[in-house]
Amino acid sequence: MTRLAAVVVLMLCAWMPETARGQVPPYLRSWGSYGYDAGQFLTPVGVAVNRDGVVYVIDSNLNCVKTFTRDGRYISQWPVHAPQGIALDGESNVYVTVGLYDQIAKFDRNGAVLTAWPAHGTGIAVGPNGNVYLAAAYDARILEFSNTGTLLAQWGSPGSDDGQFNGPDGVAVDAAGNVYVAEKYNCRVQKFTSSGTFLTKWGVFGTGHGQFDLPVRLVTGADGTVDVVDNYNSRIQAFTSDGAYLGQWGSPGSAPGQFLNPIGIAMDGDANVYVADTNNSRIQVFGFGATPTRLVSWGRLKSLYR
């Protein structure tokens, strides 16, 4: 291949859509506004997406779970009193932390109650083994349950040392079963094995790259990336599974791609990211379509082929 041909090929590749989740996903769409109608929200605080593309949104002031298609068309809803967090298992069963009754309620995909058990917490996640993990903020610990509510394990205590918590709010589990916890007041993320052994941590208070001001919920991607909702900074930050900073998106405001104190986050099977933009009363979706998201500079090309 001649040098000119190589440059042309590389330029074409540079204009191709970037699909790796290590990149910042562009804005795709949003739905919702402030109100009480079917497609409206007061305070959406959590979002989850099942394998069929059904989007579940919890609204803590409307006291309900609402379901939508991936493009935002309303499907249905059912009542839940003061929901705080939401997660789905592999069968599309829905787990909701119910703030009013201090319990975890388990529903089928259509909202029929399957079971419930006492537990006081906010963020919730289901691991690849089907076990349910809860961020118990007031007790400064993580609780692990079976999918029927049997307590299997717990770890953590108040503090700022490794394995301790101050305001654990969000929890996520990756494909290998590792558990990630977002701590609001320690302004960091901690990573554990599925049994609670501390692995690593990242983040401090601030507005810079890799810094947080009230990190709340988080989600893991199939490629191991971790997206963290940075609530007071009104942005999402992306990291590797070991905490290396990858990028960020969002700023305070109500325009597309901006946020006002977002809380909930989810990812679908195509690595599209759904954000519960809480104080804008809407859901925003970000992902990789057919638009270019990266360019290679001429300087970089020159350095590669000189």
Side-chain angles (χ1 to χ4, degrees):
M1 181 181 294
T2 67
R3 178 177 299 182
L4 177 61
V7 169
V8 171
V9 170
L10 188 55
M11 287 179 65
L12 290 173
C13 291
W15 280 96
M16 292 174 64
E18 174 62 73
T19 58
R21 268 301 295 120
Q23 304 297 316
V24 171
Y27 170 84
L28 293 180
R29 58 188 175 273
S30 65
W31 70 85
S33 61
Y34 185 86
Y36 296 83
D37 291 340
Q40 294 183 308
F41 307 106
L42 295 184
T43 49
V45 296
V47 60
V49 188
N50 74 10
R51 63 179 61 184
D52 299 319
V54 177
V55 183
Y56 296 79
V57 181
I58 54 172
D59 192 311
S60 61
N61 283 331
L62 284 179
N63 296 303
C64 67
V65 177
K66 293 190 175 187
T67 67
F68 300 85
T69 62
R70 282 197 286 190
D71 57 359
R73 289 179 288 121
Y74 172 82
I75 300 173
S76 66
Q77 68 185 70
W78 70 84
V80 179
H81 295 288
Q84 303 296 312
I86 185 170
L88 307 178
D89 65 19
E91 303 301 320
S92 294
N93 295 310
V94 183
Y95 300 79
V96 179
T97 52
V98 184
L100 184 63
Y101 301 127
D102 288 341
Q103 66 178 201
I104 295 174
K106 180 180 179 181
F107 306 87
D108 71 13
R109 67 176 63 204
N110 298 312
V113 178
L114 298 176
T115 188
W117 63 89
H120 183 71
T122 51
I124 189 171
V126 180
N129 58 1
N131 292 342
V132 179
Y133 295 83
L134 177 69
Y138 292 106
D139 297 324
R141 59 184 176 175
I142 300 299
L143 305 178
E144 181 184 3
F145 300 92
S146 72
N147 60 12
T148 57
T150 301
L151 182 63
L152 301 175
Q154 57 184 305
W155 68 87
S157 60
S160 58
D161 291 338
D162 295 349
Q164 295 185 321
F165 303 111
N166 188 3
D169 187 80
V171 60
V173 187
D174 66 18
N178 298 308
V179 180
Y180 302 79
V181 181
E183 294 179 74
K184 292 192 294 187
Y185 306 124
N186 279 330
C187 293
R188 67 183 181 183
V189 172
Q190 292 194 75
K191 178 182 178 180
F192 303 87
T193 66
S194 59
S195 58
T197 300
F198 173 83
L199 295 175
T200 190
K201 63 183 177 184
W202 66 88
V204 294
F205 173 78
T207 60
H209 295 170
Q211 298 178 334
F212 301 110
D213 191 353
L214 213 75
V216 282
R217 307 299 160 82
L218 67 175
V219 67
T220 60
D223 60 354
T225 53
V226 182
D227 292 347
V228 184
V229 181
D230 192 0
N231 180 273
Y232 276 10
N233 285 324
S234 289
R235 65 185 179 182
I236 311 299
Q237 295 196 71
F239 302 88
T240 68
S241 61
D242 293 324
Y245 174 83
L246 293 172
Q248 65 183 47
W249 71 96
S251 61
S254 57
Q258 294 185 318
F259 305 108
L260 284 180
N261 302 115
I263 297 180
I265 190 168
M267 192 179 295
D268 67 18
D270 297 322
N272 297 310
V273 180
Y274 298 71
V275 179
D277 189 4
T278 305
N279 287 341
N280 277 323
S281 300
R282 66 185 177 183
I283 301 298
Q284 295 199 70
V285 187
F286 304 83
F288 298 96
T291 56
T293 59
R294 63 185 175 94
L295 294 174
V296 176
S297 69
W298 280 106
R300 175 60 174 160
L301 286 170
K302 187 175 180 180
S303 69
L304 286 172
Y305 289 95
R306 64 186 175 187

